[in-house]
Amino acid sequence: MKLTQEQIKAYEEEGYVLLPGLFSQEEAALMKSRLPLLYRMDREEVIKEKSGVVRTVFAAHTFDDVFAQVARHPRLIEPARQLLGSDVYMHQFKINAKAAFNGDIWQWHQDFGTWHQDDGMPEARAMNVAIFLDEVNEFNGPLMFIPRSHMLGRLDASHDRSTTSYPLWTLDNAKVSELVEQGGIVAPKGRAGTVLIFQSTLVHASSPNLSPWDRNTLYVTTNAVDNAITRFKRPDYIAHRDFTPIQTVGDDALSGFLHAVA
Ligand code: SIN
Ligand code: MN
């Protein structure tokens, strides 16, 4: 699957590109159907919010058959290769639950801040490719972006270990105010199955989910193979050590599972 020139331009200039309905409702429902089992698992990859509900499941592609296929899906990996101009490997694979009523915030940050500081990623040649597993609307804690903030490169950040259950390198309020004055804030929304690709230096955050609707989102973080991490401080289920290029599966890789559940 190839992005159009217009989509590439949006990614380069605005810092993100939204691909509405790239996966079918059925494919999204299949992915979502695996979550209750994952969220009940008692394993270190399952991170809880302070309230006790699941915040994130890391590396589900290593212990779930459907997500093993999703991690190699051409609708995610081909655009990543195209935008990075390189073969890619999987730096991180995570599902953020952002549960109805309980999903906690993600503070203002750049992903590259954490990948550089904690994982020794040399350059900002990695990106997130997200799949909405639920409809994302204005009420269930959508991702908020400051358009064009990626152009500024890596910004000063401090290590926040206390606001949420998950440590992150975050920006201070004065810097965020300054950036928002220049770029505003957008919150891309869409139905389940929509894909959202964004630059690793794009400043983003999300609010708590006070709505009655879950906001499960899957994030595939691909990194250029010649930009592999150099520091191994975080567990390998958070920052992977397998730098081999991802071999894609067929575009219909999920259809066997769909027939099995039909
Ligand atoms: C992230 O910034 O990595 C996740 C934010 C979110 O899922 O809201
Ligand atoms: Mn992030």
Side-chain angles (χ1 to χ4, degrees), residues 18-138:
L18 184 70
L19 306 172
L22 189 62
F23 286 86
S24 69
Q25 304 266 24
E26 292 73 24
E27 287 170 323
L30 167 69
M31 294 180 228
K32 198 177 156 180
S33 73
R34 314 295 278 208
L35 301 183
L37 186 61
L38 296 185
Y39 291 175
R40 280 199 301 274
M41 285 179 171
D42 180 20
R43 39 189 312 158
E44 58 191 354
E45 292 91 341
V46 181
I47 312 286
K48 305 276 172 61
E49 305 278 21
K50 285 180 169 173
S51 69
V53 301
V54 170
R55 179 175 179 81
T56 300
V57 177
F58 284 104
H61 64 309
T62 63
F63 50 87
D64 179 285
D65 293 348
V66 167
F67 293 121
Q69 299 296 310
V70 173
R72 299 162 60 199
H73 204 287
R75 275 175 253 159
L76 306 177
I77 304 306
E78 285 173 3
R81 284 186 192 136
Q82 193 183 358
L83 292 169
L84 292 169
S86 161
D87 262 333
V88 296
Y89 77 89
M90 183 73 68
H91 172 59
Q92 188 175 83
F93 184 102
K94 67 175 187 272
I95 298 163
N96 283 350
K98 185 77 78 161
F101 299 113
N102 281 303
D104 205 353
I105 67 165
W106 286 82
Q107 314 92 306
W108 286 105
H109 68 283
Q110 298 174 302
D111 288 334
F112 183 63
T114 298
W115 300 338
H116 183 74
Q117 303 271 11
D118 287 350
D119 307 329
M121 186 183 287
E123 289 175 27
R125 291 198 294 123
M127 68 173 69
N128 276 318
V129 186
I131 313 176
F132 298 172
L133 303 187
D134 291 296
E135 180 196 327
V136 173
N137 58 41
E138 61 268 54

Side-chain angles (χ1 to χ4, degrees), residues 219-235:
Y219 295 89
V220 167
T221 301
T222 54
N223 187 18
V225 282
D226 62 348
N227 192 44
I229 63 169
T230 58
R231 197 167 174 216
F232 306 116
K233 183 182 123 181
R234 301 199 294 174

Side-chain angles (χ1 to χ4, degrees), residues 138-160:
E138 61 268 54
F139 307 110
N140 62 356
L143 268 180
M144 299 186 287
F145 292 151
I146 305 179
R148 296 180 290 288
S149 54
H150 66 291
M151 304 267 196
L152 300 168
R154 188 166 63 88
L155 301 164
D156 282 343
S158 45
H159 205 202
D160 180 351

